[in-house]
Structures are given as C-alpha cells and as structure tokens.
Amino acid sequence: MATMADVARRAGVSVATVSHVLNGTRAVLPHTRRAVQDAVEALGYTRNTLARSLVTSRTRSIGLAVSAISNPYFTEILQGVEAAALEHGYSLLVADPHDDPAHELRAARLLHERRVDGVIVAPSPRPHALVDHLTRHGVPAVFLDRLVAPPSKRAPDDAPRHDGSPRTDRSLDGDGTGLSPDTPGLPQEEPGVPQEGPALPHGRAAAAQDGPRLDPDAPAPAQDGQPFDQDGQRPDRDGPRPVAQDGPPFDQVCAENTEPTARLVTHLAGLGHRRIAMVAGLPGLSTTDERIAGYRHGLAAAGLPFDERLLVHGDSESAGGERATAHLLASGVSPTALVTANNAMTIGALRALRTHGLTVPDDLALCCFDDFSWADLFSPRLTAIAQPSREMGIRAVEVLLDRLADPDAPARTVRLPCTFVHRSSCGCPDGPEERTPAGRPRSSRAPGGHEGGASRVSPGPSTSRDTARASRKGNPS
C-alpha cells in the first residue's frame, strides 16, 4: 500500500507539501499541487482518515439532522449540504429527527458518538433538550431553516406565560431576541383561549390576534420586531449578536419568511381579494411565526382587517393542510383566496378543494410558500415563493466550517432571499413564468455590517374580483 512518503518521492516534493495539498492546510503552487495529485492517482494512495483523526481530533465528518427527508424542500437542502461537504473534503452522516424532541435528542447523541466535527440541525418546535446537549458537550452547531434560542434566553416549558397558562416554547427571531407576546405581527394569545399545538386536533382556527395596522406607505415591518428610525432604517439591524453566557454560540442559516409571505398577500389583495385566508405551519416553529407575521403585515399593508377565523394551522404536513382547509371551508367565512405556508400543506389544500368541488382560481385563488420542481405542471400553474433550499444547505456547511476554524467568533444569523414566482393559480392570466426577488439577504456577523435590509411591500391596484366571486357563490363581500 502506498504511503505519503511514496507520493512525496514520486512528485519530487516533501512529505509536508503532500500533507498540505491533501489537507488544504496551506497554499501550494498550481504545478506542485498537480504533481502531487498525479502521484496520488498513479500510486493509488488513499489517506488513513482514522489515523489522521487520532492525531488531529477531527474526523472530517459533518452530522445533518433534518426531518421529512422525503419532502423535496429538505431533499434539496440535503443535496446542497452534501455537495458542499464533499467539496471541502468532509463526509456526511444523516439522521431524521421526525420533528420529535426525544427522537431529535437521540439523533444528536448518535451523531456526537460518531465524533462528527459539527452538526447541522433543522430543529423541532421544542428543541430544549437538543440545545442543552449541544451546549453541555460543546458541539459546534448550525441551526438550519428554523431559528432557536440560546440556552441563556429561553424559558422552560412550564414557565408561566402572560396569560397564566403553561408556556409553549417559541423559536427566536433572527436577532436572538424572543418572540414576545407583544411583538408586532405575531400571534397574540387570549386569556381562556386554548392554544393550537401539535397535541391538539388538527384544522382548528388559530387564536385571536389583534396586531397593529400598518400604513401602506410605510416601510415593510421588521421581521425581528425592531422599530424603524426616522430614515426608515432599523438601528443595529445587522449588529453583533450577543453570545450566550452559559454555552457556545449557535450560528443559524435560514430564508426570509415575513416579507415574502406579505408579498403573496399584497399580490392577492391587489387583485381585489378582501377575504384572504392562510393555512399556517406547525406552531412553535420560527418559520410558522414569521410567515404568520408576514400574512398579518400583508393584510395591514393592504388596509385589510385581520380575521382570526381565516387563519388555521395545518401543522406543516399534507394531511394537516387538508384538514385545516376543510375546516376553513366548512366554517362559513367564505375566503376567496388562500395562502398555504409550505409545499406539503399546499398539496393537502388542493385535495380539500377538490373534495369540496372547488376549482383554482375560479372559486378560490391560491398562492403558496415553497415552490415545487413540478409546480408549473399543475393546472393552473402555482404562484409561489421559491426558497433557495440548495443554497441554504451550502451556506450552512460554509458557516459550520467557519465556526470550526474560529470557535470564538460572534454567532451570526444568515438569511437568504426568496423569489416570487408568478404563475396563474392566483387568478392572473396564464403566461410566461415571472421570477422577482422577495426578501433580501442579510447576515449579522460583522458589527454594523449589512448584506441587505427590509424590502418594501406595497399593495397593487384594487379590482372587484371579491365582489364578482361572491356574487357567483351567493356570499356577501
């Protein structure tokens, strides 16, 4: 079996140079790198990863824990993670936590036992045990798609809420501050009203929410609940994140959620819709909170009142989306447009509409968060928000490798922009697919630095579509 010394002799270089080429630990001249690579191929040399890990305490492996790997959205994220890991010489171990906190903890422990150098996790709605494990063992981690609280900033499950009922954990917004009950645009619980949750029946309406009305001419509301200054900018928008005092920092990579969802709502409002419903995701996820906030911001920007009966939870799954849509259709509120908050719930909503004999967009206009690779094959073709899923996977690996290289760097949250894909399920005439930005990228690593900011969402012109449809269906506007 060829050794590194054999490679060095054939290439005419030192063993140290061979090591630098194979491990990427120092820049090497192109012709020298090529000579080493040719020698490796000619001799059939393979590195002893196990022996190297004993010396360096690194296995050059990454653990990935994402639920619903069969979902095309997470499949594309997985493809991005795998491609980036291989490019940087890392192997990948994959686990499916099934969005269950106990299973999630077991998956994290298993990956840790395999001595992965770090983990990338799409956390469950209640990731307390996971965060505690990662913190206690000092496991470098990047949270993907969904944001979570560092240990110093989260409350236990049994901590009292403002209404005196047991606390249901909420993920954090992009600035590491809790989504408090008073955060503009977020769900407001009412005393005595049971809160929707994974253990409650599917398809129930969300609790009443009395968020503020927005001036249609004002800048788009912040996803992180921070106020605007007089120039329409948020102070400390991308400033340094505080590092948890009781554990290591946790980096996070996700897509924009609030502004793109508001874009769907204002687009529908611009077509004349006045009763726009939403099938939201699993309670407790930051993506659910932020998309609900976007829904409410979109209504307010269009001058439409929020109606609690038009907001239901589909728990981020197809069956839940079907039940929630059926509940919505049976409730008598007669929506004329629907926004679904992920691709699985879109499928469920379409099933429910078909069961009730309704067609899109003639009876109900439909816009969805998450694009499908086959969305333009539906009839009508689906107007959607496309997430940069593969890019999110790539960025998560890059952020994790940055963390491994600089363990003491400030934690950062990286948000990637989404794309508004205009097709015909919204009721617009069928034509060439149009793609426009929906939410800008931003990162919080450098103090005071900017990768982007909030984009303004403005409603389009009003039409009489609601009135016409209500007339056909015999329902009042």
Side-chain angles (χ1 to χ4, degrees):
M1 179 179 294
T3 65
M4 191 177 292
D6 296 331
V7 174
R9 281 192 296 270
R10 185 178 184 94
V13 298
S14 68
V15 172
T17 298
V18 174
S19 176
H20 288 313
V21 170
L22 296 179
N23 299 315
T25 50
R26 195 182 72 184
V28 177
L29 292 173
H31 71 273
T32 303
R33 177 181 297 276
R34 171 52 57 191
V36 171
Q37 292 171 340
D38 290 345
V40 167
E41 185 175 352
L43 295 174
Y45 171 76
T46 57
R47 287 179 289 180
N48 189 331
T49 304
L50 178 59
R52 184 174 184 275
S53 67
L54 294 175
V55 175
T56 63
S57 298
R58 293 282 182 89
T59 61
R60 296 193 71 82
S61 62
I62 294 173
L64 174 66
V66 294
S67 294
I69 293 176
S70 60
N71 186 320
Y73 169 67
F74 281 114
T75 300
E76 291 179 5
I77 286 180
L78 172 59
Q79 291 172 350
V81 171
E82 181 183 38
L86 290 175
E87 179 181 351
H88 292 282
Y90 280 76
S91 59
L92 186 65
L93 281 70
V94 182
D96 187 343
H98 302 291
D99 272 339
D100 175 74
H103 201 112
E104 177 178 67
L105 179 59
R106 287 194 294 270
R109 284 174 173 167
L110 177 62
L111 293 172
H112 185 214
E113 290 169 1
R114 297 296 180 93
R115 297 294 186 265
V116 295
D117 294 338
V119 296
I120 298 172
V121 184
S124 71
R126 297 179 301 281
H128 291 183
L130 168 69
V131 174
D132 288 343
H133 177 83
L134 297 176
T135 302
R136 185 167 59 253
H137 294 281
V139 180
V142 173
F143 292 113
L144 177 66
D145 182 58
R146 305 157 176 179
L147 307 183
V148 301
S152 61
K153 290 187 176 291
R154 48 183 179 77
D157 283 334
D158 57 355
R161 281 197 299 205
H162 69 286
D163 61 359
S165 59
R167 177 183 172 89
T168 298
D169 178 51
R170 286 193 181 278
S171 301
L172 296 192
D173 68 3
D175 285 319
T177 55
L179 297 180
S180 69
D182 299 323
T183 300
L186 294 180
Q188 308 295 312
E189 293 88 1
E190 291 185 333
V193 178
Q195 300 304 304
E196 181 89 351
L200 297 179
H202 297 284
R204 293 182 55 187
Q209 305 170 38
D210 297 319
R213 292 288 295 276
L214 303 184
D215 181 351
D217 296 324
Q223 282 186 280
D224 48 24
Q226 294 184 4
F228 288 98
D229 62 20
Q230 292 181 349
D231 296 324
Q233 301 296 320
R234 273 167 282 176
D236 301 325
R237 170 70 174 178
D238 293 308
R241 299 284 196 271
V243 176
Q245 299 301 312
D246 51 355
F250 291 111
D251 300 299
Q252 311 195 81
V253 175
C254 59
E256 294 281 359
N257 288 294
T258 302
E259 292 166 280
T261 306
R263 175 78 176 273
L264 295 178
V265 175
T266 55
H267 177 69
L268 291 168
L271 297 175
H273 292 282
R274 294 297 176 263
R275 294 192 305 280
I276 303 171
M278 181 182 193
V279 178
L282 187 65
L285 296 178
S286 66
T287 49
T288 298
D289 290 334
E290 291 177 353
R291 291 170 195 175
I292 289 176
Y295 168 69
R296 299 196 59 169
H297 291 331
L299 292 176
L304 299 177
F306 170 76
D307 185 341
E308 64 183 34
R309 299 170 301 171
L310 293 174
L311 176 61
V312 293
H313 281 283
D315 290 351
S316 303
E317 61 179 18
S318 177
E322 183 174 2
R323 286 190 293 267
T325 304
H327 169 85
L328 186 67
L329 296 174
S331 65
V333 294
S334 302
T336 62
L338 179 64
V339 173
T340 51
N342 82 348
N343 56 7
M345 292 187 295
T346 299
I347 298 297
L350 288 171
R351 287 199 191 99
L353 294 174
R354 182 181 62 185
T355 300
H356 284 73
L358 301 177
T359 61
V360 176
D362 292 336
D363 297 308
L364 194 77
L366 176 67
C367 289
C368 55
F369 205 105
D370 282 342
D371 197 18
F372 301 82
S373 58
W374 60 88
D376 60 345
L377 299 179
F378 281 77
S379 181
R381 301 182 305 143
L382 297 177
T383 295
I385 293 295
Q387 297 195 74
S389 48
R390 182 181 174 87
E391 178 64 20
M392 285 172 59
I394 293 173
R395 292 290 287 127
V397 172
E398 294 172 348
V399 169
L400 179 59
L401 296 184
D402 287 347
R403 173 60 53 198
L404 295 175
D406 189 0
D408 298 324
R412 57 173 167 165
T413 294
V414 177
R415 286 186 181 270
L416 300 179
C418 294
T419 302
F420 176 73
V421 186
H422 189 198
R423 300 189 181 103
S424 56
S425 65
C426 54
C428 293
D430 201 0
E433 180 179 291
E434 299 177 17
R435 291 176 174 261
T436 56
R440 299 179 184 175
R442 62 180 185 267
S443 174
S444 60
R445 179 162 190 168
H450 290 266
E451 278 191 34
S455 60
R456 178 173 174 176
V457 177
S458 301
S462 177
T463 72
S464 59
R465 182 179 296 273
D466 262 16
T467 304
R469 286 185 178 168
S471 177
R472 290 200 304 269
K473 297 166 67 177
N475 295 315
S477 297

